[in-house]
Amino acid sequence: MSTDRLAGETPPGQEAAPGTAEAQTPDDTTAPGDAAAPGDDAMVNEGAEAEAPGAGAGAPGSGAEAGAPAAGAESGAPDSGSESGAAADGSEAEIPAPGADAGAPLTGSEAGAPAAGSESDATARGAEPEAPAAGAEGKAPAPGAPKESPASGAAKATADALAAAVRAVESGERSAASFFNDAPRPAKPAAPAAQPAKAAPQGGPAGPAPDVARRRTAQETGGPARPGVPDGGATAPAAAPPATGPAAAPRPAVPTAPGVEGVRQVLAAGSAPETLAEQAAEVLGERAAEALREDPWLLLGVPGVRPEQADGFARALLGAACGPGDERRAQALVGWLLEQAALAGHSALEAAALRAALAQRAVPDPDDALQSAIADGAVLVFQDAIEEPGRARPATGDDEAEEQPVRILLGLDRFAMAEESVADGLARLLNTFEAAAEPVQDTASAEAGDDTTAEAEQPVAGDGTAADESAAAAAPGTDAPTDDATAPRPVRPSAAAWEAAAAAAPSPSAAELIRAAAHSGLVAHTGAEAARAEPAALIAAARSLGLRAFGATHTENGRRRLAAHLTECAPDTAATGSADPATAAVTVSGLLSGREGPGRDADGALALDLLVVLDAPQLDLETAALLVESLTDGTRLVLSGDPGVLWSAGPGRLFADLLAARFCPQVASRTPDFGPIGELVSGIGIGELSQVEAPGKEVVIVPVRDAGEAVHRTVQLVADSVPRALGVPADHTQVITVGHGGAAGTRALNAALKERLNPGPGRFGGFDPGDRVAYAPAPGRTVPGTVTGADAAGLHLDCDGSAVVVPREQVGAGAVRHGWALTAHQAAGTRWPAAVVVLPGDAVGGLTRAWVYTAFSRGERHLSVVQGADQALARAVAEVPVKERTTRLRSLLQQSVQSAEEPSVAG
């Protein structure tokens, strides 16, 4: 790897000494005990944005509040696509293991699901009283047991029995299904303040799909609805430390105004910033003001609000009537913790991890809190088979199946339903697909000279023959003329036509992909940047056969690259049935919204026959579910992507789970990425960081001593060295760093780059015309753009040639950031002519192989690495793979395969 400096670059010894790197700390390190007064503007969680790995954790709170700000999570920030909304280091947030220090705050940078062994650890502490989910149909035993109360003399015995049951399940002595015939859990005793008893759900057979517990309320906001509890509910236990200062008396109830104004009144009564009113009204619905008065902890559902802030708000409203043991607080924390886990990529959490996190938040009885959440339907319970290396898959017999060890998972209903919808949809596409077959020609018709079969078998002619006529009839919305008198009919190319298209493919890997798509309704395709030409060849071949084929990418940049490949694969536009083959390239968001692509048919399904989704690792669960549900039976779906890049910013890991489940045919590209950058990235993908020859300065390493020098060198590279040596202008060079915070995070780098490249006062909400920005129209999506102006309507942007107006309230909420420097998650799916990757020494904790692979592969012609991580970079590449996420999709897909095999075995 070349360590030479670019032409004209000043040696370090001749530069002005850079400033000393500042200690890397989070934006908000105030202890929760001090920040409990929610009147501070810190209620908006800017301090909880992703920070660089060296960031110091906030001091744990005293009293009832145990958590500091989620130090890595962009809590509710619109650009949650940045580093998964989790740690600035790109790592997935981890929920603490049961053995973690109970006083440590649960931070957004510590999020991953614990290993299966964490269940056993918690059991050893006697903290695993999980009951059979007597009610969640098809679910595993529910954690927790009814809290011991004088109103129930049998409560202690019940709790012991439930704990023994869970230990039996997790140790493998008994299966979870064997408990579902037992008597249902008794109803929880009524609270002293006339709280209605929670009805125990009815037992049901074990299975993967929760039906009974999927109850939603009129106030559904994308998270679990939590029932209110009267103000005279549970109070803090005697052992809990009292709040500092005299307890505030509860404020007298006053009539509230309707709508947002009423929410402002309630927030003011609780000393919370009134700027949260619009968000709270949007999240909580029409009765937001009344709901907040009854249950102040519902404020945790507002993006950016942290538990210690909601606790302060509740104390101001309820006074001595609230405490850490309040059931409303526990239920809100359960939902909040699962939401934070989703920001880190988990679609569910192990019961032990969630229980430990509740204990760290000073919930006195985590088991009872989980039991109540399950009984209310706010949380769903699942059993997930544990894969043991070297263990053969159990047979279909009941005795064998019961020996399979399982883990208990808890999740929010919307993520559970999205995961199950994806699994069901993928299975539907496989099962409803009819493979191409050779037509059977009638002898008599052949002797009579019937040429119908010959027309059906005719491959791409490109001259207006049968294939083009079929395309015109079957593909409304294309540029080809259609005959209104001819009813559209499905086009089914023969096996011979598919084979002819495969034989004409530009590469062996493309031919293999075409053959796989001809015989399966679902195909997984893996490959790096050079392999993107293979899905393009498939799309061009399918369109030449008369099929309505389209390719969807994650970003507009990816769409343009796919369009270029399509143009190369189909230079003869007459053969594609379209005047411009590039029209077959769309974005996922544009396809689903109808702005791009073929539109929808009369039944609401996408009007296409084959869909290729590139950048598949960036698909989150909810987007994937919507996409799969939009495909009609028999449609071919090809998911293509590079398995080495970072996963989606949202929950789930769809592409990785699909590959691991071996649910469908898989085609691995054999087309390598050429050049020094391709060679370097290919080595990183297998865990090797090797030196590469770069005679044309394709790869340059710039050593630095500290974060301050890293910022200085980065500005010099972007503004001077790369343009002078390589001819790549500054606006075509992208800076990528580990996180938003710290002395060399995106905020520090963007400030330095703006001062050098586009200085200005920031008169439009901190932005000036000409500023490069990153706009997040939805969580998980980052759209690069340039500021063109602002007016009363909002901030005007030019995003890849499209004019966009961002309302000023979204600008104030953080939907727009300066974009000279991005995180690796924000940069995924996009490539630039040149990339500068900044690795300061205090960022080593956030480096993983997937992060390095993603960041280093963003440059097309040039890659500069501002290297301050020393040997930690090589260790990360060799020893730190991507952090695991807790998901259920792989198990659901495997169960689908087993269910499909059982009838054939029985027959």
Side-chain angles (χ1 to χ4, degrees):
M1 186 183 302
S2 173
T3 58
D4 297 336
R5 290 176 175 78
L6 297 173
E9 186 175 352
T10 307
Q14 301 178 17
E15 296 178 2
T20 305
E22 298 177 359
Q24 199 165 345
T25 59
D27 294 347
D28 184 1
T29 56
T30 307
D34 299 331
D40 299 334
D41 292 337
M43 178 72 78
V44 179
N45 192 11
E46 174 66 19
E49 291 178 351
E51 303 294 348
S62 60
E65 297 83 42
E74 291 265 9
S75 287
D79 72 329
S80 55
S82 63
E83 298 307 288
S84 293
D89 54 11
S91 61
E92 315 299 345
E94 296 183 6
I95 299 298
D101 181 7
L106 176 66
T107 65
S109 60
E110 305 171 325
S118 62
E119 293 277 348
S120 301
D121 297 338
T123 304
R125 296 186 297 105
E128 278 283 7
E130 297 184 7
E137 182 178 357
K139 297 302 170 294
K147 181 165 52 177
E148 187 172 359
S149 169
S152 175
K156 182 65 169 64
T158 301
D160 293 341
L162 294 177
V166 171
R167 286 193 292 270
V169 170
E170 295 181 344
S171 64
E173 296 177 4
R174 291 184 63 181
S175 71
S178 65
F179 289 100
F180 279 84
N181 294 325
D182 295 343
R185 178 179 66 87
K188 184 177 177 181
Q195 178 184 354
K198 296 179 177 63
Q202 300 301 316
D211 295 326
V212 175
R214 291 182 185 170
R215 300 190 296 274
R216 292 174 176 259
T217 68
Q219 295 181 357
E220 178 178 354
T221 62
R226 292 175 280 275
V229 176
D231 290 351
T235 57
T244 58
R251 298 177 183 268
V254 295
T256 56
V260 176
E261 187 57 37
V263 178
R264 287 196 180 94
Q265 292 179 9
V266 177
L267 292 174
S271 301
E274 297 182 19
T275 54
L276 295 175
E278 292 185 0
Q279 283 184 294
E282 180 181 354
V283 168
L284 300 177
E286 295 180 358
R287 297 187 63 256
E290 292 84 349
L292 283 174
R293 282 200 181 277
E294 295 173 3
D295 186 353
W297 285 281
L298 288 177
L299 194 64
L300 268 181
V302 177
V305 178
R306 301 188 298 273
E308 61 271 14
Q309 297 165 336
D311 287 338
F313 177 66
R315 281 197 301 269
L317 283 182
L318 304 179
C322 76
D326 195 301
E327 183 179 5
R328 294 166 293 183
R329 177 178 186 267
Q331 298 307 296
L333 282 173
V334 169
W336 183 82
L337 288 169
L338 288 174
E339 291 283 0
Q340 295 304 303
L343 290 177
H346 306 286
S347 62
L349 281 182
E350 292 194 37
L354 188 53
R355 184 182 298 109
L358 287 171
Q360 288 186 352
R361 294 286 174 180
V363 175
D365 193 342
D367 293 315
D368 185 69
L370 292 181
Q371 186 74 6
S372 297
I374 293 165
D376 291 339
V379 176
L380 304 182
V381 190
F382 313 96
Q383 61 176 356
D384 189 32
I386 299 176
E387 295 290 336
E388 296 180 350
R391 175 190 173 97
R393 180 176 295 181
T396 56
D398 293 339
D399 294 338
E400 292 291 337
E402 287 185 1
E403 296 179 2
Q404 180 80 1
V406 298
R407 58 177 178 171
I408 308 302
L409 299 179
L410 303 176
L412 298 177
D413 58 351
R414 76 175 189 274
F415 299 135
M417 286 190 289
E419 226 159 8
E420 290 167 7
S421 177
V422 170
D424 293 343
L426 295 180
R428 174 177 57 84
L429 294 178
L430 271 181
N431 297 333
T432 60
F433 174 76
E434 297 181 9
E438 290 291 353
V440 178
Q441 182 175 359
D442 182 71
T443 305
S445 62
E447 293 176 354
D450 185 2
D451 60 351
T452 304
T453 303
E455 291 179 1
E457 293 182 354
Q458 178 69 31
V460 184
D463 55 359
T465 55
D468 297 311
E469 294 173 0
S470 299
T478 62
D479 295 333
T482 59
D483 186 1
D484 296 336
T486 304
R489 65 183 187 276
V491 178
R492 294 195 59 200
S494 67
W498 279 108
E499 183 58 34
S507 68
S509 294
E512 184 180 358
L513 180 60
I514 293 173
R515 292 188 179 98
H519 297 93
S520 177
L522 179 66
V523 178
H525 172 259
T526 59
E529 181 63 26
R532 295 172 74 94
E534 296 159 16
L538 169 62
I539 296 170
R543 289 171 71 85
S544 70
L545 295 176
L547 297 178
R548 300 168 296 177
F550 290 83
T553 64
H554 186 62
T555 63
E556 176 64 23
N557 178 275
R559 189 203 64 78
R560 287 200 300 268
R561 285 180 282 142
L562 174 60
H565 284 302
L566 286 171
T567 302
E568 293 175 2
C569 292
D572 186 359
T573 57
T576 65
S578 172
D580 183 5
T583 58
V586 298
T587 61
V588 172
S589 60
L591 178 68
L592 291 175
S593 66
R595 292 182 289 103
E596 303 171 12
R600 297 181 181 265
D601 59 22
D603 297 326
L606 292 172
L608 45 75
D609 303 307
L610 181 146
L611 176 63
V612 180
V613 180
L614 288 82
D615 305 321
Q618 273 72 59
L619 272 180
D620 63 275
L621 281 178
E622 293 178 299
T623 302
L626 182 58
L627 186 66
V628 174
E629 289 171 356
S630 299
L631 300 179
T632 188
D633 293 353
T635 302
R636 290 176 170 89
L637 175 63
V638 177
L639 296 176
S640 175
D642 189 342
V645 301
L646 290 167
W647 292 331
S648 64
R653 49 171 197 173
L654 180 145
F655 194 57
D657 282 338
L658 179 64
L659 295 175
R662 306 199 67 82
F663 184 69
C664 64
Q666 299 182 13
V667 177
S669 173
R670 299 186 296 276
T671 305
D673 284 348
F674 297 101
I677 297 178
E679 181 182 350
L680 174 64
V681 173
S682 297
I684 293 172
I686 60 174
E688 297 178 359
L689 184 66
S690 57
Q691 293 186 351
V692 295
E693 295 294 331
K697 301 291 184 182
E698 294 89 350
V699 179
V700 173
I701 307 300
V702 181
V704 294
R705 295 181 298 272
D706 52 41
E709 185 181 2
V711 173
H712 179 79
R713 287 288 191 171
T714 300
V715 174
Q716 184 186 46
L717 284 166
V718 174
D720 295 328
S721 302
V722 173
R724 182 166 52 251
L726 302 174
V728 178
D731 57 350
H732 289 172
T733 300
Q734 184 60 55
V735 177
I736 302 171
T737 189
V738 178
H740 292 298
T746 61
R747 285 192 288 270
L749 286 167
N750 277 316
L753 288 165
K754 175 175 171 55
E755 182 179 357
R756 176 66 182 273
L757 299 174
N758 194 46
R763 60 183 181 276
F764 300 141
F767 301 95
D768 293 298
D771 279 357
R772 284 178 63 178
V773 295
Y775 170 46
R781 285 189 59 210
T782 299
V783 179
T786 304
V787 176
T788 58
D791 54 24
L795 193 66
H796 291 254
L797 307 179
D798 178 7
C799 297
D800 290 315
S802 300
V804 176
V805 179
V806 184
R808 62 175 58 203
E809 58 270 16
Q810 292 188 20
V811 175
V816 181
R817 293 177 177 271
H818 284 107
W820 287 282
L822 301 174
T823 61
H825 259 109
Q826 290 176 313
T830 303
R831 283 165 63 90
W832 292 266
V836 177
V837 178
V838 183
L839 301 175
D842 53 5
V844 297
L847 297 181
T848 65
R849 183 185 306 162
W851 192 97
V852 177
Y853 185 97
T854 303
F856 281 25
S857 59
R858 297 308 93 194
E860 295 175 339
R861 294 169 47 194
H862 173 75
L863 169 67
S864 283
V865 181
V866 180
Q867 162 67 303
D870 199 23
Q871 296 302 315
L873 175 60
R875 286 196 298 271
V877 170
E879 304 171 6
V880 189
V882 63
K883 291 190 176 181
E884 290 297 325
R885 294 181 174 185
T886 304
T887 64
R888 300 173 49 240
L889 181 59
R890 177 180 178 181
S891 296
L892 292 172
L893 292 175
Q894 290 173 338
Q895 290 171 10
S896 177
V897 172
Q898 294 174 6
S899 299
E901 292 175 351
E902 286 177 3
S904 60
V905 173

